[in-house]
Amino acid sequence: MNVRVLHIELKRSVAPWAGAVVLATALAFLYLISGSWWTGTAAWTAQWTTMALWTRSVLFYLWPLAVGLGALQGLRDRRSKMAELLTSTPRPARHRAAPLAGATAITLAAAFALLVLVGAVQVVANTEYTHFRWLPISLVGALSLVAGAVLGMGAGRALPSVLTPPALAMGAFVFTALMQMSLGRTVTTAETGLPSSEPNRISLLSPAVSDVRDALVTLSASVHVGQTIWLLAMAATGFALLVAATPRARLIALVPLLAGAVIALLVLPSDPRRIYVVDEAAAELVCDGPVRVTKMQQARLADLAGPGKEALRLLRGAMGSQAPVSVRENATVLPDGATPRWSRTTVPFDFDDDIIGAAKGDELTRALVAKGMVPGCSPVGWSSVGVDEFAQTVATGWVLGDLRPLPTSLSAGLRREAEAETRPVWKELTALPRAEQLSRINAMRAAAFSCKGDPFDALKGGASR
């Protein structure tokens, strides 16, 4: 492809506008709409992998937009009434199609690269953990925009109608919506008895990915390979349609798309647990004595080590040999709705936990003591305020000798409710003989760590079940 011809194509086509529209709408979505992509350790500017996954998630509507813009570009010859003139020239059709497809591909890939660059600049400022395992996620995202636009161009050339671009864009949007919402997704029953949805190989034919739930989660290599095969086949069909001159040639042009779908489905993993996997390198533990965090959060270890060791000392003074011996960031990724399982020898915590996230300075010691006494049994992906928080407050007050609210983001009304619920129980507990206090604390911990029964009820002297 001649560089001079490509330069002319960039100047006279809608390709630069396509790139500008894609970039502007993506940035507007990420910056003007408040969502989970701005909160916690899985924010789109917090880590490299989360940045790549969140920018892939906006392909939910960027990809249909690219398909529609590509179809509009494919109608150019017909709009200018030059189709018959160009087909009568001896120059091969592929030579004429290459600059058209190349210009659009370059601008859309550049737009997606700029979107990733905007996120990358902020990631550099927010984390010291650097790696390049996120690159395949972003490269597949750029390829999906290019493939969608080329397919749209081919369809626009094959179906030269003013209705083709909006119809293709809407069809592509419906496709991504069905993949995201229901069609092609495996419905499983969580331990709570409530249904949850996990992606399967069919839903992976959509270029968009699910919302990011955990900073340690990434896409497996087989997903990258399968999606790349599918997108390359899509681009091949689009280009074949772009140069096809007869109905028979247009039918043959569909072969790469169908073959690519079959091959991709054979490569893509069938087990949902092999689609989103834990990044083992990022989840590797880094230690400062008994305090351990993942390598991804290593920069926060210095601030956590002192409060963590102090929390272990306080727990050991209150419970003796039954106290936990280490503080450890939770690196286990469970599906939504699953009930966590904890070890009594460890104080488990998560930087996204409401109590840990709200704790500053000396409050972090209190927060870690609370997690060591009652780690919490809310199903993964749920947010709740109730008996676990009440039990944490009373148990922490018992260890530290004073009852104070835990560092949380609760409203004033909820804080007053917690105070009304917990203070009578704390007074009753601390008035008991030491042996009875330990009996209730042990019953509470048995309920809390097994996630069976009510820890707060056990503190009040009821059965932990």
Side-chain angles (χ1 to χ4, degrees), residues 98-339:
L100 178 67
T104 304
I106 289 173
T107 54
L108 288 177
F112 193 78
L114 287 174
L115 174 64
V116 172
L117 180 62
V118 170
V121 170
Q122 296 172 87
V123 171
V124 169
N126 291 332
T127 184
E128 296 179 6
Y129 181 66
T130 302
H131 63 95
F132 294 99
R133 295 184 298 281
W134 60 273
L135 272 177
I137 302 173
S138 294
L139 290 175
V140 172
L143 177 60
S144 69
L145 288 178
V146 172
V150 174
L151 181 64
M153 280 187 278
R157 181 69 61 85
L159 302 170
S161 167
V162 293
L163 298 178
T164 299
L168 280 177
M170 183 56 66
F173 180 77
V174 170
F175 173 76
T176 57
L178 289 175
M179 294 295 102
Q180 195 83 358
M181 295 166 51
S182 57
L183 182 63
R185 299 182 73 88
T186 300
V187 177
T188 59
T189 301
E191 296 178 23
T192 58
L194 298 175
S196 63
S197 180
E198 295 290 342
N200 68 8
R201 65 173 79 186
I202 298 178
S203 66
L204 293 175
L205 295 180
S206 169
V209 299
S210 302
D211 291 349
V212 185
R213 298 178 299 182
D214 195 292
L216 295 174
V217 170
T218 187
L219 289 171
S220 64
S222 57
V223 173
H224 301 321
V225 174
Q227 290 184 331
T228 299
I229 292 172
W230 163 240
L231 294 171
L232 289 175
M234 185 187 298
T237 288
F239 192 79
L241 288 172
L242 197 58
V243 302
T246 64
R248 182 172 180 271
R250 295 188 183 104
L251 286 175
I252 295 175
L254 299 177
V255 172
L257 187 68
L258 297 175
V262 172
I263 297 173
L265 290 174
L266 292 175
V267 173
L268 291 169
S270 58
D271 186 351
R273 293 171 297 182
R274 292 176 50 227
I275 296 175
Y276 289 95
V277 297
V278 175
D279 186 340
E280 298 294 342
E284 182 182 345
L285 293 178
V286 180
C287 306
D288 183 342
V291 182
R292 305 172 182 177
V293 300
T294 60
K295 195 171 183 179
M296 178 179 286
Q297 301 294 345
Q298 184 174 358
R300 306 174 75 166
L301 180 58
D303 294 333
L304 186 73
K309 294 172 183 177
E310 178 63 12
L312 291 176
R313 185 188 68 80
L314 292 169
L315 289 167
R316 185 167 56 252
M319 294 187 295
S321 61
Q322 298 185 41
V325 295
S326 67
V327 176
R328 177 172 176 170
E329 181 185 356
N330 181 30
T332 302
V333 179
L334 299 174
D336 274 355
T339 302

Side-chain angles (χ1 to χ4, degrees), residues 240-434:
L241 288 172
L242 197 58
V243 302
T246 64
R248 182 172 180 271
R250 295 188 183 104
L251 286 175
I252 295 175
L254 299 177
V255 172
L257 187 68
L258 297 175
V262 172
I263 297 173
L265 290 174
L266 292 175
V267 173
L268 291 169
S270 58
D271 186 351
R273 293 171 297 182
R274 292 176 50 227
I275 296 175
Y276 289 95
V277 297
V278 175
D279 186 340
E280 298 294 342
E284 182 182 345
L285 293 178
V286 180
C287 306
D288 183 342
V291 182
R292 305 172 182 177
V293 300
T294 60
K295 195 171 183 179
M296 178 179 286
Q297 301 294 345
Q298 184 174 358
R300 306 174 75 166
L301 180 58
D303 294 333
L304 186 73
K309 294 172 183 177
E310 178 63 12
L312 291 176
R313 185 188 68 80
L314 292 169
L315 289 167
R316 185 167 56 252
M319 294 187 295
S321 61
Q322 298 185 41
V325 295
S326 67
V327 176
R328 177 172 176 170
E329 181 185 356
N330 181 30
T332 302
V333 179
L334 299 174
D336 274 355
T339 302
R341 291 290 182 263
W342 309 115
S343 168
R344 296 194 188 202
T345 62
T346 300
V347 176
F349 75 94
D350 192 311
F351 286 110
D352 286 331
D353 183 89
D354 289 340
I355 297 175
I356 300 297
K360 305 294 181 183
D362 293 340
E363 289 184 334
L364 187 54
T365 298
R366 179 176 286 269
L368 290 171
V369 169
K371 300 301 291 185
M373 296 297 286
V374 183
C377 288
S378 296
V380 175
W382 292 27
S383 179
S384 62
V385 177
V387 292
D388 278 349
E389 287 75 11
F390 296 162
Q392 286 173 333
T393 301
V394 174
T396 304
W398 177 80
V399 172
L400 300 180
D402 67 323
L403 186 70
R404 285 191 292 157
L406 293 172
T408 65
S409 55
L410 295 179
S411 64
L414 290 175
R415 283 180 177 271
R416 286 194 295 270
E417 179 186 350
E419 172 73 12
E421 290 284 344
T422 58
R423 185 162 292 278
V425 177
W426 178 74
K427 287 182 177 179
E428 178 187 350
L429 177 66
T430 54
L432 294 172
R434 179 68 177 175

